């Protein structure tokens, strides 16, 4: 005779013989009970079958061998070795939280027809992931590195993904260099530890990186957790207004908590005391009701202004300084809800800068063009071709597409046509504006890599001059401590000469510190 609990469970999943089958009843049921306390539920196998004890296995007698029929044992062991999805190649370690984006001004609606900016006070659900970049999942949150700030906005016109860094510039402007740069920071194939020669070899051979080098080896390279840092898209986008007019824009999210950094000594202590400080600091702040927020700004310029701008507006190694291109407030992102399940809501989330509603568009920015492919491709490889069907990545408005089938397709759009059929045609959104005049190509296809030039040192010099005496002292110490660990004297000398080209005194201090001559 079945125990009462099992009878109740079977009654819950049973349905009448004449009921119409609903393929999504199972997922609905799982979602309805996902947050139930364990004490309200009864242990089952993965197929929903009641089972007597999670530790129980079928065997020959109480001392005999295990049998292959032991479904409970096999399910647990087989799943155990498959529990981890591959970690991200970059941004492997991170924290996550939920919240909302709120429109605070009419500026967004003036610049873009995207519905997300349509009216002051409008709120859009957001999930954020804040991360280190170069290290792996075992990385300490306080290491010297860039940080990522990614925000998934679930708008009424689909997903809008903002992928930001805590610096407005990057190490490169030629996207094919990206794997090389990241490989220079990864573990050496022979020793399986970080190789300082490799890191500085790349940087000293690619001088366009110098502005980012300067920023990263200042105290900005060791932020205090994830709440006290700004976010910058870096890449250049287009904003298209309702009348079809458009501007080039850069997007930033500035921390309302203010900027706070660790010194190198403080970062080292934090790494030893709490390697997960960034995660715990964010979680504990939200639990305490101290909700972190970032004010979102656009910087905008029209095509004529862009042509006359002193830097190439598509060069990711250059920033648009606010004194040159003013910040225009758009809205605010607030994080007010911690995640309930890290794997589901943080590890499985994906971001793709190509996900933009009408009114926001990409530009010819070469690194952005590469990212438009790379982000989605990384997600397909890491978590599956139907990764956008996972709850954390799924848009809130109905999907109607001809991208069907593939592994783990949970919502395969029923019996609708799998092509652009005239028998049962999908409605089409009218083209909201004519973008024929957005880009005029003036040359043919060429194989090209940029050449570092004097202008690449311009913003690095400005950054050095704006540092306080204390910050300059920290910078020199940080560089000497890191560059000095490169055993190759030629690499140390080459990089010291690059610093000397930024500032003669700076170069002399670093050369002396790493024991090379200029």
């Amino acid at each position: 005779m079945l125990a009462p609990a099992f009878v109740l469970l079977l009654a819950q999943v049973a349905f009448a013989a004449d009921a119409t089958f609903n393929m999504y009843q199972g997922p609905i049921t799982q979602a309805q009970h996902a947050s139930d306390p364990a004490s309200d539920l009864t242990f089952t196998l993965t197929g929903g079958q009641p089972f007597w004890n999670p530790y129980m296995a079928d065997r020959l007698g109480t001392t005999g061998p295990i049998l292959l029929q032991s479904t409970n044992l096999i399910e647990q062991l087989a799943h155990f070795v498959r529990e981890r999805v591959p970690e991200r190649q970059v941004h492997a370690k991170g924290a996550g939280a939920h919240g909302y984006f709120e429109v605070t001004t009419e500026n967004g609606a003036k610049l873009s027809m995207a519905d997300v900016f349509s009216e002051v006070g409008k709120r859009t659900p957001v999930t954020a992931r804040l991360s280190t970049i170069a290290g792996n999942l075992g990385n300490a949150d306080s290491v010297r590195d860039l940080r990522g700030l990614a925000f998934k906005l679930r708008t009424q016109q689909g997903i809008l993904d903002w992928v930001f860094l805590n610096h407005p510039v990057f190490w490169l402007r030629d996207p094919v260099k990206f794997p090389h740069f990241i490989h220079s920071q990864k573990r050496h194939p022979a020793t399986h530890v970080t190789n300082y020669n490799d890191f500085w070899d790349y940087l000293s051979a690619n001088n366009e990186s110098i502005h980012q080098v300067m920023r990263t080896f200042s105290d900005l390279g060791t932020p205090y957790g994830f709440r006290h840092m700004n976010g910058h898209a870096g890449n250049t986008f287009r904003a298209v207004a309702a009348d079809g007019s458009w501007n080039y824009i850069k997007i930033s999210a500035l921390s309302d908590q203010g900027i706070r950094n660790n010194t190198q000594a403080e970062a080292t202590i934090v790494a030893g005391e709490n390697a997960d400080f960034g995660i715990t600091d964010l979680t504990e702040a939200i639990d305490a009701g101290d909700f972190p927020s970032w004010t979102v700004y656009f910087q905008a310029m029209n095509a004529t202004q862009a042509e006359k701008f002193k830097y190439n507006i598509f060069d990711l190694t250059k920033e648009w300084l606010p004194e040159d291109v003013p910040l225009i407030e758009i809205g605010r992102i607030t994080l007010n809800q911690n995640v309930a399940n890290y794997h589901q809501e943080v590890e499985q989330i994906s971001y793709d800068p190509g996900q933009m509603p009408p009114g926001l568009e990409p530009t010819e920015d070469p690194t952005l063009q590469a990212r438009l492919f790379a982000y989605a491709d990384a997600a397909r490889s890491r978590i599956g071709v139907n990764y956008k069907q996972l709850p954390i990545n799924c848009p809130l408005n109905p999907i109607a597409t001809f991208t069907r089938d593939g592994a783990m397709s949970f919502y395969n759009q029923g019996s609708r046509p799998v092509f652009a059929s005239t028998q049962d045609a999908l409605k089409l959104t009218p083209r909201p504006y004519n973008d024929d005049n957005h880009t005029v190509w003036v040359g043919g296809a060429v194989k090209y890599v940029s050449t570092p030039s004097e202008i690449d040192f311009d913003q690095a010099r400005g950054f050095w001059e704006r540092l306080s005496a204390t910050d300059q002292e920290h910078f020199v110490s940080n560089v000497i401590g890191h560059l000095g660990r490169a055993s190759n004297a030629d690499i140390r000398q080459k990089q010291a000469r690059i610093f000397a080209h930024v500032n003669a005194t700076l170069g002399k201090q670093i050369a002396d510190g790493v024991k090379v001559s200029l």
Side-chain angles (χ1 to χ4, degrees), residues 126-130 149-153 159-164 231 253 294 333 335 351:
V126 170
T127 297
R129 187 175 186 273
L130 313 171
L149 302 88
F151 301 101
K152 183 176 293 293
L153 284 68
I159 298 295
L160 169 58
D161 280 342
W162 279 337
V163 286
F164 298 163
W294 288 261
I333 292 172
L335 302 181
Y351 294 91

Side-chain angles (χ1 to χ4, degrees), residues 260-335:
R260 183 177 177 185
N261 300 309
N262 287 318
T263 64
Q264 180 61 57
E266 290 168 339
T268 302
I269 292 171
V270 171
E273 292 181 344
N274 181 5
D276 300 319
F277 177 81
I279 297 174
T280 56
D281 177 66
L282 178 68
T283 302
E284 290 170 0
I286 293 174
D287 278 342
D290 183 12
F291 302 140
S293 64
W294 288 261
T295 300
V296 177
Y297 296 89
F298 286 176
Q299 291 171 286
M301 65 171 79
N302 60 36
T304 301
Q305 293 169 322
E307 290 173 6
K308 297 178 180 178
F309 196 55
K310 56 185 174 181
Y311 306 115
N312 180 345
I313 67 160
F314 302 134
D315 183 350
L316 189 53
T317 67
K318 306 294 183 293
E319 64 177 310
W320 299 358
L321 295 171
E323 53 264 36
D324 296 327
V325 188
L327 294 166
I328 305 169
E329 182 176 333
I330 303 298
R332 181 171 293 107
I333 292 172
T334 302
L335 302 181

Side-chain angles (χ1 to χ4, degrees), residues 26-49:
I28 291 170
T29 299
Q30 308 318 316
Q32 288 174 337
H33 294 281
S35 300
D36 289 358
S39 56
D40 288 353
L41 300 171
T42 303
F43 175 66
T44 71
L45 301 181
T46 56
Q49 304 90 347

Side-chain angles (χ1 to χ4, degrees), residues 189-204:
T191 63
H192 200 57
V193 297
T194 299
N195 187 294
Y196 291 85
N197 288 333
D198 288 353
F199 180 73
W200 288 103
D201 182 19
Y202 175 88
L203 295 178
S204 62

